[in-house]
Amino acid sequence: MSMFKRFVEPGRLALITYGPCAGKLCTVTDIVDQKRVVVDGPEDITGVRRHMMPIKRLSLTDFRFVAKRGIREKVLRKGLEKSGNLNKFWESSWGKKLKTQEARKNMTDFERFKVMCAKQKRSKEVKKSLKKK
Amino acid sequence: MGRNEMLAPGVPKYGRSKMMKMRKANQYAKKGGEKKKVEEKKVTYGKYVEADPVKVPLPSTKRSSRPTKLKKTIKPGSVLIVLSGRFMGKRVVFLKQLPSGLLLVTGPYKLNGCPIRRINQAYVIATSTTVDISGVNTDKIDDAYFARVKEAKEGEEGFFDNQEKINPEWLEKRKADQKAIDEPLLAAVSKVSLLAEYLQAPFTLSKGQAPHMMKF
């Protein structure tokens, strides 16, 4: 029985949690030492350039594709496409949570109002059904 | 003056050095030498110069007055949140910018009690929601429309009367204009679900909400 399931390895999809790229997905492409890795979400796909990053800034996801150390962009793209990891991530519960957080942050005033109305409606229904009992 | 002459008051034709030369030349002449003529330098003008130059005023740096620049986020039909004044917190519909720079808005009156009114765009948050105002005609309304109504009544009696009465004709006209503008607006508002309720509800901040972090 292994304690760890997510490893820092080439091909591992990770979410950057700190720094200028915070909130973006990237793939680990190479390992520098115990604390640092080289990371690349191909820039046009996720907006992360190929660069070195401390592991502390990453949150590893469940998704990876098999890759050798130091994979270059072409192989990286192929791997991502074939595995469909990005889509898998956004469809996972973690990814969905992130999306709802973003949607909530970007709500306009009218949308906030509509949400408030929906919440009120729901609570009315709940109270009604409780009263019946 | 002997050798000299005044071209203009205080402006002699020959300056000091020239006068000195002429004096010296004359001295020698008196002693028996030739009178040295001080040659008049032919003045060549580069370009034509007016004998009596007319004073031309400098170009004015004042700009012709124009209304204040409208915020980019405010568009015709935008819903605005009023931040101060009698209708603080109301969500109103923006119609057009008047020549004075103020914004012409309306509640619509039936929804939130705000009539056709002028507001300064500094006291307003523009939301990204818009209402279709293509059916609304605001041509008749300008800044003069909102001028205070003065009833010409003389004497003390008139003074007290003016303060208390609202001219019924003026009121009827206002009501008619309000209706004319609001009818097409209400029709457009009713087409979007919850938009009428949205305009009716006042804007409030609840705990944890900060306007600078919110998207409108």
Side-chain angles (χ1 to χ4, degrees), chain A residues 106-110 112-113, chain B residues 91 128 197-198 214-215:
Chain A
N106 290 332
M107 270 199 288
T108 66
D109 192 45
F110 189 23
R112 255 176 265 132
F113 177 78
Chain B
R91 294 177 172 115
S128 52
E197 286 84 347
Y198 175 61
M214 286 159 65
K215 194 182 153 210

Side-chain angles (χ1 to χ4, degrees), chain A:
Chain A
M1 202 187 79
S2 58
M3 280 220 313
F4 298 102
K5 290 185 192 160
R6 300 174 184 169
F7 298 94
V8 177
E9 56 197 331
R12 173 70 60 181
L13 192 70
L15 183 73
I16 303 173
T17 53
Y18 181 84
C21 302
K24 296 187 181 154
L25 283 175
C26 62
T27 317
V28 174
T29 55
D30 204 346
I31 299 171
V32 176
D33 60 16
Q34 198 68 10
K35 284 190 175 175
R36 289 174 291 179
V37 291
V38 176
V39 127
D40 193 1
E43 198 179 354
D44 46 344
I45 297 181
T46 60
V48 179
R49 261 190 218 169
R50 191 184 197 91
H51 65 294
M52 190 168 69
M53 184 177 278
I55 293 174
K56 248 187 163 180
R57 292 191 187 180
L58 299 174
S59 281
L60 304 176
T61 66
D62 284 328
F63 308 106
R64 76 172 287 233
F65 60 90
V66 178
K68 289 193 189 155
R69 271 191 72 180
I71 56 165
R72 290 159 107 191
E73 191 169 327
K74 199 160 125 195
V75 185
L76 173 61
R77 272 178 207 280
K78 239 193 196 169
L80 272 179
E81 225 190 279
K82 221 175 161 196
S83 61
N85 278 344
L86 288 173
N87 285 332
K88 282 188 195 166
F89 175 76
W90 292 118
E91 283 161 20
S92 68
S93 58
W94 183 2
K96 280 190 202 157
K97 252 188 274 172
L98 287 178
K99 290 248 156 148
T100 56
Q101 279 173 13
E102 205 195 309
R104 234 177 241 153
K105 197 175 75 168
N106 290 332
M107 270 199 288
T108 66
D109 192 45
F110 189 23
E111 282 166 11
R112 255 176 265 132
F113 177 78
K114 285 194 249 186
V115 165
M116 182 192 75
C117 289
K119 278 189 190 170
Q120 285 178 341
K121 207 174 176 189
R122 180 175 65 176
S123 74
K124 271 189 194 159
E125 293 291 319
V126 168
K127 282 184 188 157
K128 216 200 284 180
S129 68
L130 282 176
K131 234 186 176 180
K132 275 187 197 168
K133 286 183 183 170

Side-chain angles (χ1 to χ4, degrees), chain B residues 171-196:
Chain B
L171 191 62
E172 284 306 313
K173 183 172 177 287
R174 276 297 190 107
K175 283 186 187 175
D177 289 334
Q178 184 74 50
K179 198 174 174 199
I181 285 182
D182 279 356
E183 257 176 33
L185 254 185
L186 287 168
V189 162
S190 63
K191 286 189 190 154
V192 183
S193 73
L194 287 179
L195 188 57

Side-chain angles (χ1 to χ4, degrees), chain B residues 68-157:
Chain B
T68 41
K69 212 170 173 188
L70 197 62
K71 280 193 237 185
K72 271 189 233 162
T73 45
I74 301 178
K75 302 197 173 81
S78 289
V79 174
L80 309 174
I81 299 172
V82 181
L83 296 174
S84 73
R86 176 143 177 241
F87 299 96
M88 185 161 47
K90 303 271 187 208
R91 294 177 172 115
V92 295
V93 179
F94 168 66
L95 298 173
K96 71 174 183 184
Q97 186 180 29
L98 297 168
S100 64
L102 299 171
L103 310 181
L104 180 70
V105 298
T106 180
Y109 185 73
K110 276 214 168 129
L111 293 181
N112 51 30
C114 180
I116 315 170
R117 210 161 196 269
R118 295 186 297 175
I119 303 184
N120 190 319
Q121 62 176 321
Y123 300 103
V124 136
I125 295 180
T127 65
S128 52
T129 322
T130 52
V131 179
D132 180 21
I133 60 166
S134 54
V136 179
N137 184 358
T138 52
D139 292 343
K140 279 193 288 176
I141 302 176
D142 60 348
D143 287 301
Y145 183 83
F146 295 99
R148 284 188 186 275
V149 174
K150 283 188 192 153
E151 241 188 76
K153 267 201 179 167
E154 292 155 37
E156 254 188 57
E157 208 189 79

